[in-house]
Amino acid sequence: MFTILKTNSYFLLLFNKKLFNTPMNNAVKIYDKKIAFSLKEYLNLNIKKKKKYKYFEKILYFYFDLSIKNRTILEKKIIDNLDSDLLCYRADKYTELEKIQSKMFDPLVLFVKEKFMLDFQVENSVIPFKQDNKNVIVLNKILKKLDNLKFTTYYFINNLTNSNIIALNFLVNNIKLQHIWNCLSLDETYSFRKWGKDKEAIEMLNNKKKELDEIINFHLLFNKKEI
């Protein structure tokens, strides 16, 4: 079981009375008492539930292993996603799916344009296309200003959704969890409704939902909010 060891200025996470270190051998060192004990309780609850899903631990390791060197590499990976943003690729014009996408996606695209001056073009196609190069400069500045906690959440949301637009909306609390999920699962749920459910597709979708939930749990826990 997980326990907490208090030192003079911070708390250490222990597992079975031994330091719980990351794969890069960094200690899980927490400076806030509420966060430290909430983290311990959450991890122990997962053990009691015999929860085998390890995505939360993956996020935790990522956060405590972040360094200037690996952040630079990860920032580049995020910026590389600018040209493949999920919300910029739409179904054929005037189709039912395209109308749903427009209603669901357009407000998010407009928000990042007004808030961050990021101008995303939208195409009714699945063929890759280049976005405005100015977006690279703007997004790079945004990422550089994020602390490690916000960067971790941003990275995992962007990686899961393949959307900087969704991640940016989440960054400033302009999107609810259900809306993120609706965007992320739209293609599958629309396909299920039109042509029936597929067992393998359902399993993949369920795994995505678990991953999204764990990202949100990490975000809430480290921002001292209720999970």
Side-chain angles (χ1 to χ4, degrees):
M1 298 291 283
F2 287 93
T3 54
I4 293 295
L5 174 65
K6 186 181 185 305
T7 70
N8 290 335
S9 57
Y10 54 83
F11 301 86
L12 289 169
L13 187 65
L14 308 180
F15 182 65
N16 291 337
K17 300 182 180 180
K18 295 181 180 180
L19 276 177
F20 181 75
N21 289 347
T22 70
M24 294 180 67
N25 208 34
N26 290 315
V28 177
K29 186 186 296 185
I30 304 166
Y31 292 86
D32 184 277
K33 181 178 179 179
K34 181 176 180 180
I35 293 173
F37 281 85
S38 294
L39 177 61
K40 179 203 72 172
E41 290 170 7
Y42 182 75
L43 292 171
N44 282 335
L45 181 63
N46 286 348
I47 291 174
K48 289 178 182 178
K49 290 181 176 180
K50 297 182 178 179
K51 195 172 181 180
K52 296 180 180 179
Y53 210 72
K54 296 293 183 181
Y55 201 71
F56 184 89
E57 285 90 336
K58 181 178 180 180
I59 303 169
L60 193 68
Y61 294 149
F62 179 99
Y63 173 53
F64 285 97
D65 282 337
L66 267 179
S67 65
I68 294 173
K69 182 179 179 179
N70 61 22
R71 257 197 74 148
T72 301
I73 296 169
L74 295 164
E75 285 167 5
K76 183 181 183 304
K77 182 179 177 182
I78 291 172
I79 290 170
D80 286 344
N81 280 348
L82 279 169
D83 294 331
S84 58
D85 200 289
L86 171 71
L87 305 197
C88 295
Y89 292 83
R90 309 291 176 85
D92 292 338
K93 281 187 177 182
Y94 313 119
T95 60
E96 180 186 22
L97 180 57
E98 193 255 357
K99 291 177 183 177
I100 297 171
Q101 289 171 329
S102 295
K103 184 177 180 180
M104 193 179 294
F105 299 167
D106 285 355
L108 303 176
V109 177
L110 179 61
F111 179 82
V112 297
K113 183 176 183 179
E114 294 176 344
K115 175 72 176 178
F116 299 105
M117 303 302 291
L118 283 161
D119 191 8
F120 284 91
Q121 300 302 309
V122 173
E123 295 282 347
N124 295 88
S125 172
V126 295
I127 299 173
F129 66 96
K130 291 287 290 181
Q131 295 285 355
D132 191 331
N133 282 333
K134 292 179 182 177
N135 286 351
V136 173
I137 299 170
V138 175
L139 183 58
N140 186 54
K141 289 180 179 179
I142 293 169
L143 295 176
K144 294 293 184 188
K145 292 179 181 179
L146 299 182
D147 61 27
N148 280 356
L149 179 59
K150 288 181 179 177
F151 182 81
T152 297
T153 303
Y154 189 105
Y155 175 84
F156 278 92
I157 289 182
N158 174 264
N159 195 51
L160 181 65
T161 64
N162 196 34
S163 175
N164 277 291
I165 297 169
I166 291 175
L168 286 162
N169 274 272
F170 184 80
L171 186 68
V172 291
N173 199 30
N174 190 57
I175 188 171
K176 294 182 178 179
L177 174 59
Q178 188 58 51
H179 195 166
I180 296 176
W181 179 242
N182 290 344
C183 293
L184 182 58
S185 62
L186 177 58
D187 284 350
E188 289 88 347
T189 53
Y190 183 81
S191 177
F192 293 161
R193 182 161 62 86
K194 284 291 184 181
W195 296 287
K197 295 182 178 181
D198 175 84
K199 184 177 180 180
E200 185 176 343
I202 291 173
E203 185 177 352
M204 290 177 65
L205 197 59
N206 287 339
N207 284 336
K208 280 186 182 179
K209 183 61 168 67
K210 290 175 183 177
E211 291 178 2
L212 178 60
D213 288 344
E214 293 291 44
I215 296 168
I216 302 303
N217 287 344
F218 172 87
H219 172 77
L220 293 175
L221 193 153
F222 277 85
N223 282 282
K224 294 188 281 188
K225 298 179 181 179
E226 293 296 323
I227 295 178

